[in-house]
Amino acid sequence: MQTPPPGTDFLPPETFAGQVAVVTGGGTGLGLEISRGLAALGADVTILSRDPSHHTALLDEGRERGWAVHARSLDVRESKDVARVARELLADKERVDILVNNAAGNFVCPSERLSFNAWRAVLGIVLDGTFYCSREFGRSMIDGDGGQILNIVATYAWTGMPGVVHSASAKAGVLAMTKTLAAEWARHGIRVNAIAPGPFHSDGAAGNLWPDEEWAETLRAGIPLGRFGTAQEIAAQCLWQLSPHSSWMTGECLVVDGGGSLPKPWWSPGKRPKRPRSTEEGEGA
Ligand code: HXC
Ligand code: NAP
């Protein structure tokens, strides 16, 4: 059974009516949920990713629900292909109002064992791909009525994270790109923001980052709210950021991670320093 599209429980049904949206990696995981929410709230959505079999879930649901959804096969690492697809899409739709740079590649590998090609693969998808798409669709926003770009990063963009030097470095670059483009393009009416989710289940993330329950449990133990997020709850925050409710927000990164990036306590759970509660507010308070 399909879950309700994110955002439809708190945003009016016409929130994105008349807007054209592009979501990279929009056929799976978080990208799929963002695309479902945008389409359900009236946007014309095109998803871009390499594997056409990843496009069928959104296209099938779109057919059932009468959404304007489309898909193109594209490897965002290939600058010429990005430029060609953007040109074709703009010739067809005339404008793009929303770009979500969500496509990513990741896996855990100690830095000293990471091959140059593996480094390039992840930097190419995350950092190069985000710039190529931002430049191509950003130009059309500059020439048109402005628009919005939302980049999906991770909190290790500023904390770092052992085992994912490629992804952490690339996401740090995307965060710098977010702030740079926000400052450069605000005068064109373009807002550029980011979302930094903590761990949530997707087949790509689970397969590459926590292949068994023991790994998942180690990650879960570091999240103060005690559980992974869901792609639907992260997508809801993305849709709020893309909606007119966030119209004065730009260059910002919203963390949605159950507290996972907050400082860790000085003590282990159950081993808090023993000291009676203060009774300043009254006996037994
Ligand atoms: C070491 C690896 C590797 C691994 C691939 N490589 N997997 N090295 N450990 N587990 C190396 C390969 O050996 C090769 O180097 C190079 O990387 C490129 O591999 P290819 O398979 O040819 O690349 P490609 O087909 O382009 O695939 C890209 C990919 C793949 C990034 C490697 O994982 C992918 O397509 N991922 C998409 C889905 C995904 O990762 N989703 C997770 C998003 S979660 P050599 O030297 O051998 O040629 C996320 C944030 C999570 O991003 C944050 C949690 C808090
Ligand atoms: P996912 O389902 O694996 O999504 C990754 C998407 O990127 C796929 O749809 C994939 O489609 C696309 N993609 C990969 N390489 C591409 C390329 N070269 N060109 C075009 N598209 C490409 O993973 P997810 O967990 O939902 O991740 C979504 C976003 O959230 C990513 O930016 C990720 O870094 C971020 N994030 C995830 C987590 C988490 O715990 N899951 C935490 C923090 C941040 P194709 O295979 O069809 O190309």
Side-chain angles (χ1 to χ4, degrees):
M1 201 190 70
Q2 284 154 344
T3 53
T8 51
D9 52 347
F10 62 89
L11 288 169
E14 304 296 309
T15 297
F16 299 107
Q19 298 200 36
V20 178
V22 170
V23 182
T24 68
T28 66
L30 176 60
L32 174 59
E33 294 304 325
I34 297 171
S35 301
R36 295 177 72 226
L38 285 168
L41 294 167
D44 178 301
V45 180
T46 300
I47 58 173
L48 306 175
S49 84
R50 298 164 301 177
D51 182 351
S53 75
H54 288 161
H55 302 163
T56 48
L58 182 71
L59 295 179
D60 288 351
E61 187 176 0
R63 217 167 290 121
E64 258 171 52
R65 297 196 191 236
W67 293 340
V69 286
H70 323 273
R72 299 285 304 260
S73 287
L74 175 70
D75 187 329
V76 295
R77 291 172 284 193
E78 302 298 330
S79 55
K80 289 202 171 75
D81 293 341
V82 172
R84 177 181 48 78
V85 166
R87 206 168 43 244
E88 290 168 4
L89 221 142
L90 286 161
D92 181 27
K93 311 273 176 208
E94 292 180 2
R95 56 191 285 171
V96 165
D97 306 279
I98 293 171
L99 166 66
V100 182
N101 285 305
N102 164 82
N106 207 350
F107 49 82
V108 178
C109 182
S111 303
E112 71 278 12
R113 293 194 210 150
L114 191 69
S115 75
F116 293 147
N117 196 33
W119 165 266
R120 261 280 22 107
V122 172
L123 267 284
I125 300 167
V126 176
L127 186 58
D128 299 349
T130 299
F131 179 69
Y132 298 156
C133 292
S134 300
R135 195 192 82 166
E136 290 311 302
F137 295 109
R139 280 179 174 175
S140 79
M141 294 176 189
I142 289 170
D143 295 341
D145 303 328
Q148 305 190 53
I149 300 175
L150 180 63
N151 297 325
I152 311 302
V153 297
T155 57
Y156 55 52
W158 58 92
T159 64
M161 176 67 84
V164 289
V165 68
H166 43 13
S167 178
S169 305
K171 296 288 192 188
V174 172
L175 189 59
M177 199 187 310
T178 303
K179 290 177 183 294
T180 303
L181 295 183
E184 252 185 75
W185 291 351
R187 70 193 183 92
H188 301 295
I190 301 172
R191 297 197 293 118
V192 189
N193 287 297
I195 290 255
F200 61 87
H201 177 86
S202 71
D203 290 346
N208 286 297
L209 296 167
W210 51 87
D212 59 42
E213 186 43 34
E214 199 184 330
W215 282 40
E217 188 45 46
T218 306
L219 275 173
R220 204 174 290 122
I223 302 173
L225 285 181
R227 63 171 177 86
F228 279 18
T230 65
Q232 289 87 355
E233 3 183 41
I234 312 290
Q237 295 292 334
C238 295
L239 291 155
W240 183 261
Q241 270 203 25
L242 291 167
S243 81
H245 295 286
S246 305
S247 54
W248 210 45
M249 181 171 167
T250 196
E252 196 46 80
C253 177
L254 183 68
V255 175
V256 189
D257 71 344
S261 58
L262 294 173
K264 300 293 175 243
W266 289 65
W267 53 79
S268 311
K271 299 247 160 87
R272 286 152 54 95
K274 297 256 180 299
R275 192 166 190 278
R277 279 188 182 180
S278 161
T279 55
E280 280 165 359
E281 298 297 324
E283 210 60 44

